[in-house]
Amino acid sequence: MKSARFGSLVDGWTVLLLLAVWMHVFLATFTKVEESFNVQAMHDMLEFRSDLRNYDHQTFPGVVPRTFLGAMWVSTFSAGPYYILRAFGLPKAAGLICARLILGTITVLALARLRASVALVLGTSVGQAFMLLTSLQFHLPYYASRPLPNTFALALASLAHADWVSGKRPQRAIVLMAAAVVIFRCDLLPWAGLMGMHMLLERQISIGRGLAIGALAAAGSLAVTVLVDSAFWGRWLWPEGEVLWFNTAENRSSEWGTMPPHWYFSSALPRALLGALPLAVLGVMLERRLRSKLACVLMYIAAYSLLPHKEVRFLFPVLPLFNVAAAAGLARIYHNRQKGLLWQGLWLSALALLACSAGAAVLMTAVSRCNYPGGYALANMHAAEASAAAEALRSGRNLTIHIDVAAAMTGVSRFGEHGIPWVYSKVEDMSDTDIRDMGYDYMISPKATLAGYQHIISQEGYAGMRISLSLREAWQKVLNGQLPLPVTILKEPQLHVHRQLLNHTRALS
């Protein structure tokens, strides 16, 4: 088997997944707190380059340090398009879209490489079904362009999985997994160990050679991240090592919430895989070549379930392997769909699962667009106060704005800043009295009223869903130009923009 080159990976199925990923970039452009470090780092690399004094992490370092290598990777590819867009007068927000499109493309190409290996081993139709199933889901296309450490690890792990599935390049698989563990996600260490054990049992590599390659790859990855990240952080450090210490020795990850041991199996996987989950079960039953690999995945998730803090994104690197099994099941059903009532029934069921997956993905996408009130509030404030900004610019005066924690966590980033005359502050833990004393011209706050300020904008956010089968309500939606869907997404004001009253003394200018 010849290894597929990236140039040969782009076909209609790759384009389908790429369009799904890009669609999410434009439908939900803003980012949340989990992505803030890499988003701010990409902005700073594009705007300030080597001037580390102005980097966001100097003021807001976060709970634990993260690596700059992922942001550097994306910024390198984004720099050319970004500077062209800026030269044509587009705002910095275009840079966020550009960077996310680049990252999404990289992730899709990595998944396409996995698809190529799957096609070589299990057949072309299985590879095609893999891309189709992934495109109809929500989580992988939605997060493929989001600059999370989990997404960077997903790209590297998918390349490693491609070599693991084919069995032809175990050495490269070890190198890629070592880089993913050491640089981006230390919690993938158990998964790397399970992959290595499987390679040994399948006689893809000897224990001595596997350990030697793994040790060298880990040492090389460690040297790169320590040298690069120490330069950015201004002290000697290994970012993922500090994350590992934080989560294990200090056991502080549970401060961000805990879930019961069964949560990954009872909640995370069904939501992430949607209709692919039952197809994956069928695929493992029908395709024996996948059983040992999926057994390793299940062992990893079972071991990971012992940790109290759980999130769907922690499973991103292994989610595509479930889609491989689901694709094997779907392809088998497709080829046998005319061989009796059983297969015909399975084919109709598979079509129903695909339709349900697509519908659920559309609903989740609609909900996701409502989860960034901070980003929308800042953008709407800039638009509403454009004339005030122009006047301040003519008079040589700054307009100061304080961004509350709730806004900073739900979409505000440096890519959304407009520059002079706007001056932005994210100082935390200030009382209302402190805020008044600082005399900010504008405030973005969860509070609907602030003494000394005039309320000018209310920004809504997601507040739940309501299911209604009423024909009258459906007809009313049609009259209002809406789709008569039985699900209504509820929204409520979550953030408010306030402008300082004219008679309030400005402390900043």
Side-chain angles (χ1 to χ4, degrees), residues 114-145:
L114 174 58
R115 170 252 177 137
S117 290
V118 169
L120 288 171
V121 175
L122 301 177
T124 301
S125 59
V126 179
Q128 294 171 344
F130 168 74
M131 299 300 273
L132 175 63
L133 287 166
T134 306
S135 300
L136 294 179
Q137 292 171 341
F138 169 75
H139 280 84
L140 283 176
Y142 181 78
Y143 284 98
S145 66

Side-chain angles (χ1 to χ4, degrees), residues 17 150 222 245 302 351:
L17 180 55
N150 314 82
L222 181 63
W245 183 264
L351 290 177

Side-chain angles (χ1 to χ4, degrees), residues 108-300:
V108 168
L109 288 175
L111 291 170
R113 176 66 183 85
L114 174 58
R115 170 252 177 137
S117 290
V118 169
L120 288 171
V121 175
L122 301 177
T124 301
S125 59
V126 179
Q128 294 171 344
F130 168 74
M131 299 300 273
L132 175 63
L133 287 166
T134 306
S135 300
L136 294 179
Q137 292 171 341
F138 169 75
H139 280 84
L140 283 176
Y142 181 78
Y143 284 98
S145 66
R146 295 191 166 273
L148 292 160
N150 314 82
T151 303
F152 297 127
L154 165 64
L156 285 177
S158 295
L159 295 174
H161 294 157
D163 292 321
W164 182 43
V165 168
S166 69
K168 298 300 179 181
R169 298 283 184 88
Q171 300 92 337
R172 188 167 63 184
I174 293 172
V175 171
L176 290 167
M177 281 307 303
V181 170
V182 173
I183 297 174
F184 294 115
R185 292 300 303 183
C186 58
D187 52 9
L188 280 175
L189 181 59
W191 174 238
L194 285 168
M195 276 184 62
M197 290 293 294
H198 186 272
M199 290 177 186
L200 292 176
L201 294 175
E202 292 291 315
R203 300 182 183 278
Q204 294 181 10
I205 198 167
S206 66
I207 186 170
R209 185 172 178 79
L211 289 175
I213 293 172
L216 288 174
S221 300
L222 181 63
V224 170
T225 184
V226 167
L227 290 174
V228 172
D229 291 311
S230 296
F232 278 100
W233 285 100
R235 62 183 177 89
W236 287 105
L237 84 166
W238 169 31
E240 277 305 292
E242 297 200 14
V243 173
L244 182 64
W245 183 264
F246 179 88
N247 290 334
T248 55
E250 297 182 357
N251 193 27
R252 292 183 56 191
S253 62
S254 58
E255 295 175 7
W256 278 260
T258 62
M259 293 294 180
H262 60 78
W263 186 81
Y264 281 130
F265 293 99
S266 63
S267 179
L269 286 176
R271 286 186 290 118
L273 297 174
L274 300 174
L277 182 56
L279 288 172
V281 175
L282 181 63
V284 171
M285 294 171 59
L286 297 175
E287 181 52 75
R288 60 178 179 81
R289 288 173 289 183
L290 293 176
R291 292 172 191 169
S292 60
K293 291 180 172 62
L294 265 293
C296 291
V297 176
L298 294 176
M299 290 170 61
Y300 167 68

Side-chain angles (χ1 to χ4, degrees), residues 29-42 56 60-67 70-71 96 100 103 139 142-143 145-152 184-185 240 243 253 255-257 259 263 271 309-314 316 368 371-373 405-413 426:
T29 302
F30 299 115
T31 56
K32 296 188 78 172
V33 61
E34 296 89 352
E35 306 152 70
S36 61
F37 172 79
N38 282 305
V39 168
Q40 309 289 36
M42 290 189 302
D56 187 78
F60 301 98
V63 179
V64 288
R66 308 301 314 210
T67 180
L96 178 58
R100 288 191 55 197
L103 176 56
H139 280 84
Y142 181 78
Y143 284 98
S145 66
R146 295 191 166 273
L148 292 160
N150 314 82
T151 303
F152 297 127
F184 294 115
R185 292 300 303 183
E240 277 305 292
V243 173
S253 62
E255 295 175 7
W256 278 260
M259 293 294 180
W263 186 81
R271 286 186 290 118
H309 180 59
K310 299 176 179 66
E311 294 188 42
V312 178
R313 60 189 174 95
F314 295 164
F316 285 173
S368 71
N371 283 329
Y372 304 92
V405 173
M409 293 177 65
T410 57
V412 173
S413 75
K426 295 188 295 183

